Amino acid sequence: MALAILATLGGCTLMPEYARPVAPVPASYPDTAKTPQSGLALADIGWRTFFSDDRLRQVIAMGLENNRDLRVAILNIEKSRAQYRIQESSLFPTIKASASETASRTPADLSQTGNAATSRQYSATVGFSSYELDVFGRVRSLTAEAQQTYLSTVEARRSTHISLVAEVANDYLTLASDRELLKLAENTLVSQTATYNRSERNFQLGNASLLTLRQAQQSVESAKVDVEKYTSQVAQDINALNLAVGASVPEALLPDGLPSGLGLPMDLPAGLPSDLLLKRPDVLEAEYTLKAANADIGAARAAFFPSISLTASGGAGSSQLSRLFNAGQGSWSFTPQISLPLFDGGYNAANLKVSKVTRDIDVAQYEKTVQTAFREVADALAQRSTLGRQLEAQQTLVTASAQSLALTEARFKYGIDSYLDVLTSQRSLYSAQQTLISTQLSRISNQVTLYKVLGGGWEESGQEVVMK
């Protein structure tokens, strides 16, 4: 009967029943009704499918192989899994086998026979010591805590993976944009230098003023400044990309310019409910951390109740090795022990208080993680809704600026406008072209950001660590 009661109690724990906190965010994102929608969830699309540029895919693959942050995240999973296995082993007794020999010599002065004597004792036993019967679920609670901590590190690795994919992609696109800006500055320098050379010849012939010559020179020097600025920026972009990748990216894989798109239509899942955020690895990581804190409360509660441990062994003993396993040489011992906390100076109560406060902190952190995730998606959607129109308007501005420059140059040729008007039109076109490249970068980067914040970018590989 007593064993039945212990067996029944051994299956219980004092952990509070877990309930996921209600997400403190709206049920849907603003303005999503105006966006094209499909039933395809971005979180379910692997990065190899999302990114169509082959060179970009190769660079991302290099980053996933070499990046040190991701490597640390993978090693943390291995460490956490081993710690979980260590804690789980406490549910079972540790059985050990031992064999020993004890030899002693008694001098003649101390011997009852008056002669020196040598005695030997041999023993061989199998048993376990201090095995805790988990009557109130303390060990189970600690095991559950270790398991949830392990699962948290798995989600941390996924989050690092997704962030790395987005970081490498954005660094790659930033480099592509700055290379286009550098190319634009170099082309502008060539054209402005040609204009300056013509102005210099006209000045020498008396057909242009010194003011016109100096204005042309201003354009040349300004273009030189931009060439040097973007040359430096491109070098820094390459350094940033190499750091994110964790290795030197071959020149053959570096971009020549911005791609026209990522290759996958950015249709959004119908309705975009905010509960999609609950699939994000950083949100899951926060929830597993909360579950671990919840399990720790069970262990803290169990500390108020008696602890029962068992020590037992069985084997054989003999004064002669040859008779060690003969009949009648058997030996055994059994030592049950119960420990009941009577006075601990408030230690257990304080420890339980710490566990509950830690759980409350983790609830707040979980809610903050959900709120942050919601804002990231809402911000990306807000930017996405305007970037298309902004890009279209900027392209129109570039076309208008080019036409304005052509007209101004024609009027200057016939003496209607001054060279200052030509210079102003040139600068307007150059500025519009620069802004167009920056807007194109913002639009593509927004696609990457939206893909990331909706939980996309994860793709299982040979490095995936699973719980066995």
Side-chain angles (χ1 to χ4, degrees):
M1 184 65 177
L3 291 176
I5 295 175
L6 289 177
T8 302
L9 291 176
C12 74
T13 65
L14 299 178
M15 286 187 296
E17 183 177 354
Y18 174 76
R20 176 187 292 168
V22 178
V25 294
S28 61
Y29 300 105
D31 299 328
T32 53
K34 301 178 183 178
T35 61
Q37 297 174 349
S38 73
L40 188 62
L42 294 180
D44 298 330
I45 300 174
W47 63 266
R48 294 181 189 274
T49 303
F50 185 79
F51 297 104
S52 62
D53 187 279
D54 184 62
R55 287 188 291 183
L56 175 55
R57 283 200 297 254
Q58 292 184 58
V59 173
I60 292 175
M62 287 181 61
L64 294 176
E65 181 179 353
N66 297 301
N67 183 269
R68 270 52 178 183
D69 289 336
L70 184 59
R71 189 174 300 176
V72 169
I74 294 173
L75 293 174
N76 280 335
I77 291 179
E78 295 288 354
K79 175 183 176 182
S80 183
R81 180 168 61 177
Q83 290 173 331
Y84 165 65
R85 293 305 187 199
I86 291 172
Q87 181 58 49
E88 187 184 39
S89 66
S90 300
L91 292 170
F92 308 96
T94 301
I95 301 175
K96 297 181 180 180
S98 63
S100 64
E101 174 191 4
T102 302
S104 62
R105 180 180 183 278
T106 304
D109 288 348
L110 299 178
S111 173
Q112 294 180 351
T113 63
N115 298 319
T118 300
S119 63
R120 299 180 184 276
Q121 181 178 341
Y122 302 90
S123 66
T125 59
V126 176
F128 55 87
S129 62
S130 300
Y131 168 59
E132 180 177 349
L133 292 179
D134 197 24
V135 177
F136 298 100
R138 188 187 75 86
V139 178
R140 273 187 174 77
S141 295
L142 292 176
T143 302
E145 178 188 15
Q147 182 187 40
Q148 298 302 322
T149 300
Y150 161 76
L151 295 174
S152 175
T153 60
V154 172
E155 296 303 328
R157 181 268 168 111
R158 290 185 60 209
S159 182
T160 302
H161 179 115
I162 291 173
S163 297
L164 177 60
V165 169
E167 180 183 0
V168 171
N170 280 321
D171 287 348
Y172 183 91
L173 294 171
T174 299
L175 172 59
S177 172
D178 285 339
R179 279 193 159 183
E180 281 204 8
L181 289 170
L182 175 59
K183 189 185 302 182
L184 174 63
E186 290 173 338
N187 292 338
T188 301
L189 176 59
V190 171
S191 64
Q192 293 300 327
T193 300
T195 300
Y196 173 76
N197 291 336
R198 287 195 303 269
S199 298
E200 188 176 30
R201 286 195 298 270
N202 290 333
F203 173 74
Q204 291 172 350
L205 295 174
N207 297 328
S209 66
L210 180 60
L211 176 61
T212 299
L213 179 63
R214 291 295 174 252
Q215 287 173 338
Q217 185 180 9
Q218 286 178 351
S219 298
V220 172
E221 299 305 324
S222 177
K224 285 182 179 179
V225 169
D226 282 350
V227 167
E228 296 304 323
K229 178 179 71 175
Y230 289 121
T231 298
S232 172
Q233 189 59 51
V234 165
Q236 294 179 58
D237 291 341
I238 293 175
N239 292 337
L241 181 61
N242 288 340
L243 177 61
V245 170
S248 180
V249 179
E251 178 64 33
L253 296 181
L254 296 179
D256 300 320
L258 276 173
S260 58
L262 296 175
L264 189 71
M266 287 296 295
D267 290 348
L268 304 178
L272 272 179
S274 59
D275 58 10
L276 285 177
L277 294 176
L278 301 180
K279 298 180 180 180
R280 279 184 33 153
D282 57 337
V283 175
L284 290 174
E285 178 187 357
E287 184 173 11
Y288 282 128
T289 300
L290 173 57
K291 288 180 178 179
N294 195 68
D296 188 58
I297 293 177
R301 286 176 172 176
F304 288 91
F305 295 88
S307 171
I308 301 174
S309 61
L310 303 176
T311 298
S313 65
S318 173
S319 60
Q320 296 183 18
L321 183 60
S322 59
R323 301 202 323 243
L324 180 61
F325 297 105
N326 289 351
Q329 301 299 121
S331 65
W332 59 268
S333 68
F334 178 67
T335 310
Q337 181 178 4
I338 184 169
S339 174
L340 176 64
L342 296 178
F343 177 77
D344 59 8
Y347 174 86
N348 285 337
N351 190 50
L352 178 59
K353 178 67 175 179
V354 169
S355 298
K356 290 182 176 180
V357 172
T358 300
R359 191 266 314 274
D360 293 341
I361 291 173
D362 289 335
V363 168
Q365 290 178 336
Y366 171 79
E367 293 174 340
K368 180 61 179 296
T369 301
V370 173
Q371 289 176 332
T372 301
F374 183 89
R375 179 188 172 178
E376 289 176 351
V377 176
D379 286 349
L381 288 172
Q383 188 182 30
R384 178 181 185 271
S385 65
T386 61
L387 276 173
R389 297 190 297 271
Q390 183 180 340
L391 181 60
E392 183 179 350
Q394 192 63 39
Q395 289 172 331
T396 302
L397 177 60
V398 169
T399 301
S401 298
Q403 294 174 348
S404 176
L405 175 59
L407 292 172
T408 304
E409 286 178 335
R411 291 170 63 88
F412 171 71
K413 180 178 180 181
Y414 291 102
I416 300 175
D417 288 340
S418 66
Y419 187 74
L420 180 60
D421 295 320
V422 175
L423 183 61
T424 301
S425 295
Q426 288 175 339
R427 289 175 177 172
S428 296
L429 175 60
Y430 182 46
S431 176
Q433 290 172 324
Q434 288 178 314
T435 304
L436 177 61
I437 294 173
S438 299
T439 305
Q440 290 172 334
L441 173 63
S442 297
R443 184 171 182 270
I444 298 178
S445 295
N446 173 256
Q447 295 177 8
V448 176
T449 299
L450 188 57
Y451 178 56
K452 170 193 170 184
V453 297
L454 286 174
W458 170 252
E459 188 170 287
E460 293 187 4
S461 65
Q463 292 179 321
E464 172 65 356
V465 179
V466 296
M467 188 173 176
K468 299 179 180 179

